[in-house]
Amino acid sequence: MHASHDPAAPPAPPIGFDDFLAVDVRVGTIVAAEPFPEARKPAFKLTIDFGPAIGTKRSSAQITEHYGCDELVGRQVAAVVNFPPRQIGKFMSQVLTLGFPDADGKVVLVQPSVAVPNGGRLF
């Protein structure tokens, strides 16, 4: 099940608070960003540090429209850390990096407005 990227789409059906709590969204700092030329859609391979409890995880992110590899390192992002890993070509994506669509449907990353400790959980 994929969420709609259409800003005019109606809200999803109601869920219980326990369903929300089951999704583990954490903040991490991108420590490496590399091109991912093998991906079907333009993407980068990210390495994200989620702090000592979770460690460093990798993610494939379709964020090439608004970001370059050089400007991603050091940026904090939000990601779902408790989905099963997903094979994307020869790359294993371990977390889902989160973003919102801009007016053209291109991804804009979710990030805290001020620096926070890596590994902090969304509430």
Side-chain angles (χ1 to χ4, degrees):
M1 177 170 88
H2 291 281
S4 173
H5 296 199
D6 178 1
I15 62 171
F17 191 66
D18 287 345
D19 294 325
F20 169 73
L21 291 177
V23 180
D24 193 352
V25 178
R26 303 285 181 122
V27 65
T29 299
I30 299 171
V31 294
E34 311 162 54
F36 191 2
E38 315 90 275
R40 269 180 273 154
K41 294 182 179 176
F44 294 135
K45 297 176 187 177
L46 305 178
T47 304
I48 306 167
D49 178 3
F50 291 98
I54 296 171
T56 301
K57 301 288 182 185
R58 302 196 74 199
S59 180
S60 169
Q62 296 174 9
I63 56 173
T64 59
E65 291 288 329
H66 289 294
Y67 308 96
C69 287
D70 53 339
E71 64 186 290
L72 288 167
V73 174
R75 181 184 295 264
Q76 287 196 302
V77 293
V80 176
V81 298
N82 66 331
F83 283 147
R86 188 167 164 216
Q87 189 78 39
I88 301 173
K90 295 180 179 178
F91 181 78
M92 185 64 73
S93 190
Q94 300 170 300
V95 299
L96 176 65
T97 304
L98 300 175
F100 288 109
D102 68 8
D104 297 319
K106 308 302 181 193
V107 180
V108 176
L109 291 168
V110 173
Q111 66 183 87
S113 57
V114 297
V116 296
N118 287 337
R121 187 169 180 175
L122 179 73
F123 60 83

